[in-house]
Amino acid sequence: MRTRHIHPVIHLLHWPFIFAQGSIIGLSVACLVGAFRWGLDAIPRHVWPAARELSAQYGLFGILLWAAVLVALAYGAGRLVRAVPLISGGGIPQVELECQGRLHVPLSIWLRVIAAKFLACLMDTAGGLSQGREGPSVQLGAGVGAIVDALCGHTESGRRNLLAAGGAAGMAAAFSAPWAGFIFAFEEIKRPVNRTSCLLTLSAALSAWWGVGAIFGFGKLFPFDDIPGPEPAAWWKLLPLGLVLGLGGSLYNRALLGVKTAESRLPIPRKWRILPPMLSAGVFLFALPEVLGGGGALIVQIGGDGTAFAPLLLFLAAKVFFSLLSFTGDAPGGILMPILCVGALLGLAAGCALDGVSPSPENACWLICGMAGFFAAVLGTPLLGLVLVMEISGAAACLPAAALVILVANFVASRLHITPIYEALRSSIVVSAMPGGKQCAALHTPRMLRKESNTPKKRRTAT
C-alpha cells in the first residue's frame, strides 16, 4: 500500500496559513462587532434620555408618542424575525447546531442573518429590552467565518472550525475577553481539541480582542481591579453563597424555559409577541430605568458606589422579571449579560445578608462571586464562567473565592438535574425542525426541558 507524503515546505506553510485565517476572521469580526457595540452603547446615552425628555416636556402626549415608537420597533423587529427566522433569540444555539453538523446554513442565508441580526438587535435595544450583546456577537462572528469559508473553500470539518473560530472571536469582541472566547469554542460549542482548531480559534479570539481595543477603544467592562477578596475567616460563607446561587440559577434556568412554553399558548399572533416586552420596557423607562438593557451599568453602580439593601432587592426582582419577559417573542438578543447582572445582584444581596451589613465597595467580592456562580449554574460551563468574570472585572483577588463558589453552584445545579440553558434551547430548535418543510429556528416548544436524544440526527438545511 502506497503512503502519501506531504512536501515539508507545504507542511510548514500550513500553520502560517491557519494563523492568517484566524487573524483575518478576528479582525473582520472586530470591525463588525465593534460597530455593533458602539451602536448599542450609544442608545442608552442618546435614545432613552430623549424619550424621557419627551415625557418631561409634553406630558401624556410625549408618553403616547414614545409608545407609538415602541410599537413601530416591535413591528420592525417582528418582521425581520419572520423574514429571517435564524436571528431569533441570542443565536448561540443556532451556531452550535451548525458547528455540530446538524444544521447547514448556506452563505446567502448567512449574509441575510448578519444584516437582519445587526439591525433587529439595535431596534430591541432602542426599545430598552433586557438583552445582551454576546449571543448576537457570536452569531455575527460565525457569519464572518462562513464568509471566509466561502472564499477559501474547505472541507465540512474545516468549515465548522471556521464557524467556531468566528463565534469565539465574537465572544472575545463582545466582552473584550479573548481567553473566554477561546474557551467558549471548546467548552460550550464543544469543538474537538487539536492543534489546528486551537491555533485557528486562539488567533481569531486574540485578533478580535486587539481589534476592538485598537479600533474602537473598548477595554475591560467593569472597573473592579481593586476589589479585595474575602477574609480567611469569612471563607465558610462561600459555601452557603454557592448553594444560594446554584438554587437561584436552577430556578432562573427553569423560568427561562417556562416562559417560552407559556408564550406558545398565548392567543397573540407570533409577529406581535415582542410587543408586550417592548411596552413593558416603556413602563420601566419612566419607573425604574436602571433595569433597562443588559445591565452592565447597573453592575457598575452597585459595585462601585454601593446600594442600600432594599433598593438592591427591588433591582433584583425587577431585573429577573424583565429579563424573563424580554426573552419572549423570539426577540433577537443575548441572555448572558442579564444573567451576569442577576447573578451580581443575587450574590451581593446574599453575601451582605450573610455578613449582616449593607452593600458597600468593601464587600463587593460577593458581587464577583455572584456573577461567576450564577453564570456557571445556568450555563453549566464552570471554566468559562470563571475566566469570563475574571477578564471582564479584573478582580484577581477574588479568583480563589469565585472558583469555590462556582464549584458549589455547579454541583447544586447538576444534582438538581438542570439541563444547561443552551443545550435546552438547542434541543428545542432540533425538535421544531423535525417536521418536514421550512427550517424554523424559533425557540418555542413545550418539549424544551427534555434532554437531547443520543440517536444521530439528519443534517438539515436552512432556507
Side-chain angles (χ1 to χ4, degrees), residues 219-225 295-297 299-300 337 340 371 389 392-394:
K220 190 166 72 275
L221 260 64
F222 304 128
F224 295 153
D225 305 68
I299 293 175
V300 174
M337 184 57 79
L340 290 171
M371 286 195 290
V389 171
I392 63 178
S393 68

Side-chain angles (χ1 to χ4, degrees), residues 187-264:
E187 189 177 20
E188 178 58 47
I189 299 182
K190 295 179 173 57
R191 290 303 300 155
V193 180
N194 54 55
R195 287 181 295 177
T196 299
S197 61
C198 285
L199 178 59
L200 181 66
T201 303
L202 185 58
S203 58
L206 289 173
S207 299
W209 164 73
W210 179 86
V212 293
I215 300 173
F216 295 93
F218 291 126
K220 190 166 72 275
L221 260 64
F222 304 128
F224 295 153
D225 305 68
D226 299 328
I227 290 181
E231 296 294 332
W235 269 65
W236 67 269
K237 300 175 183 177
L238 299 175
L239 298 179
L241 178 63
L243 176 63
V244 170
L245 293 169
L247 291 173
S250 301
L251 291 174
Y252 191 82
N253 186 311
R254 291 282 182 175
L256 279 173
L257 303 175
V259 295
K260 297 302 294 184
T261 301
E263 176 199 357
S264 64

